[in-house]
Amino acid sequence: MELLTKFTFVLACVFAEWAVTFVAVANCTIFPSEMSGDSALKLPPAFISVSQKSAPGSFYSLGLSSAFPEDNEYCSELLRIYGQRYVTFASCLVTYARPVNVCQNCYPDYKSLWNIYTNISLDKSTPGNVSCHDSLMRSDRLMLLYILFVKLDEIWESADCKKCLNEDQDALSNETLNFMATLNESLSCFEQYKKNHTELCKDCKTSYKKLSEVYGSMAKKQQLCIDLEDAMNMTQHLWSSNYNCLLPREETVPVIAVSSFMLFLPVIFYLSSFLHSEQKKRKLIHPKRVKSSSSLMNIQDKFS
């Protein structure tokens, strides 16, 4: 009887220790790194080995790399380079968002990202002659890597940055450099006379007029990107709103002449109508009166 009692007591202790261990694993609230001393030794070896693979406060990450045999080290390396260049280009866009200078400063990063995307799309050197583009860009429903690139490419296209670059898209065009030089000339003049607006409007008129002519010429040739448009808008705001300057334009006289002609059109129309009606009245033929009764009698005899 005493032996049976001891066996029951030992069994109860083992069951209690197993229950505590099961609860700890199910709730994921105990981590070996958070325990020290004898407390850590109370955990079973199996629980310690699993928990050590997870960082404190995080879930255990399943290793699924072996589930995708079609992926190889070459595609993985392309993916790593793609990620680095994507982050670099996105960071450049944020850095030069205000004032807008993305086309001038981010074109090397964009071309670099475009090159790695093209390499992924066209490469056929993987085992089985399968493109990395299929396994990296289109192997899942979301197509996250593809969508990320498309969104950044849409931003670049909507900014018309290609219009400010040369044919190879690896440097700023000569027209863009000329505009930037003319812009800096006007801004330097503004800075010199910013405390005296009267002198500014007088002495900076030549440089500002030149800038406006260069901008107008580039607009006609469709050579403007978002950088130049934003820079010109800011410069025009400084000239007209901040410094209250006016720049007389050569087309002012023709515009005034055409506007005056349009205003006088109704007057001309009504005046011509009046004169035309008066002229018609003068041309009306009045019948002559009968001079004698004898002639009247002769007319009646003829009709009878």
Side-chain angles (χ1 to χ4, degrees):
M1 184 67 179
E2 183 179 0
L3 181 61
L4 179 61
T5 303
K6 292 182 179 181
F7 177 76
T8 303
F9 177 77
V10 172
L11 183 62
C13 292
V14 172
F15 177 78
E17 183 177 359
W18 175 84
V20 172
T21 303
F22 176 79
V23 172
V25 173
N27 294 332
C28 297
T29 56
I30 301 177
F31 296 94
S33 59
E34 297 176 343
M35 305 175 64
S36 60
D38 297 336
S39 299
L41 299 178
K42 294 180 181 179
L43 293 176
F47 177 70
I48 295 177
S49 61
V50 172
S51 300
Q52 286 176 346
K53 296 180 181 180
S54 302
S58 64
F59 294 99
Y60 174 66
S61 177
L62 297 176
L64 300 178
S65 58
S66 59
F68 302 99
E70 69 274 10
D71 292 343
N72 58 13
E73 294 182 0
Y74 181 76
C75 291
S76 299
E77 180 65 16
L78 289 180
L79 177 61
R80 184 188 65 81
I81 298 174
Y82 174 87
Q84 290 179 345
R85 296 183 181 183
Y86 187 95
V87 171
T88 302
F89 179 58
S91 177
C92 183
L93 292 179
V94 174
T95 302
Y96 296 101
R98 294 302 307 160
V100 184
N101 289 315
V102 294
C103 299
Q104 303 173 61
N105 297 280
C106 299
Y107 69 88
D109 298 328
Y110 173 78
K111 187 171 184 180
S112 179
L113 177 62
W114 172 263
N115 288 339
I116 188 62
Y117 176 80
T118 304
N119 290 339
I120 293 175
S121 301
L122 302 180
D123 187 80
K124 294 288 185 178
S125 60
T126 59
N129 200 29
V130 178
S131 172
C132 289
H133 182 267
D134 298 332
S135 60
L136 297 179
M137 299 292 180
R138 298 183 180 274
S139 60
D140 59 281
R141 178 179 61 82
L142 185 58
M143 297 189 298
L144 180 59
L145 298 178
Y146 171 76
I147 292 177
L148 288 174
F149 175 81
V150 169
K151 293 302 180 182
L152 286 190
D153 187 60
E154 288 178 355
I155 294 175
W156 189 257
E157 291 293 336
S158 62
D160 290 327
C161 290
K162 293 182 179 179
K163 295 181 179 180
C164 288
L165 303 176
N166 60 8
E167 295 182 0
D168 296 332
Q169 301 293 300
D170 57 0
L172 297 176
S173 63
N174 294 331
E175 292 79 6
T176 301
L177 295 174
N178 180 47
F179 175 86
M180 297 306 301
T182 309
L183 174 66
N184 291 334
E185 182 180 348
S186 296
L187 294 179
S188 299
C189 186
F190 291 174
E191 183 68 21
Q192 182 179 357
Y193 297 100
K194 65 179 181 179
K195 296 182 179 180
N196 190 337
H197 293 182
T198 303
E199 292 295 326
L200 186 147
C201 297
K202 178 181 178 181
D203 294 340
C204 299
K205 181 175 65 177
T206 302
S207 60
Y208 180 75
K209 183 179 180 180
K210 180 181 178 182
L211 176 65
S212 300
E213 292 175 351
V214 172
Y215 183 84
S217 176
M218 295 182 67
K220 292 179 180 179
K221 298 177 182 179
Q222 297 183 350
Q223 297 174 334
L224 296 176
C225 59
I226 188 62
D227 291 19
L228 308 190
E229 294 172 354
D230 187 70
M232 191 64 193
N233 289 336
M234 294 177 62
T235 308
Q236 289 176 342
H237 182 77
L238 289 174
W239 177 263
S240 59
S241 300
N242 290 28
Y243 304 136
N244 299 318
C245 299
L246 296 175
L247 182 63
R249 298 182 178 180
E250 297 178 356
E251 63 268 18
T252 302
V253 175
V255 169
I256 294 176
V258 173
S259 301
S260 301
F261 176 75
M262 296 298 294
L263 290 175
F264 279 100
L265 271 181
V267 178
I268 297 173
F269 173 76
Y270 286 112
L271 182 60
S272 61
S273 299
F274 175 77
L275 295 177
H276 186 66
S277 62
E278 288 294 328
Q279 187 178 6
K280 280 188 174 182
K281 289 180 180 180
R282 293 177 183 178
K283 289 183 178 181
L284 289 176
I285 301 176
H286 300 281
K288 296 181 180 180
R289 294 181 179 180
V290 179
K291 294 183 179 180
S292 61
S293 59
S294 59
S295 59
L296 180 62
M297 292 291 293
N298 295 332
I299 294 175
Q300 290 178 352
D301 291 339
K302 290 182 180 180
F303 282 100
S304 60

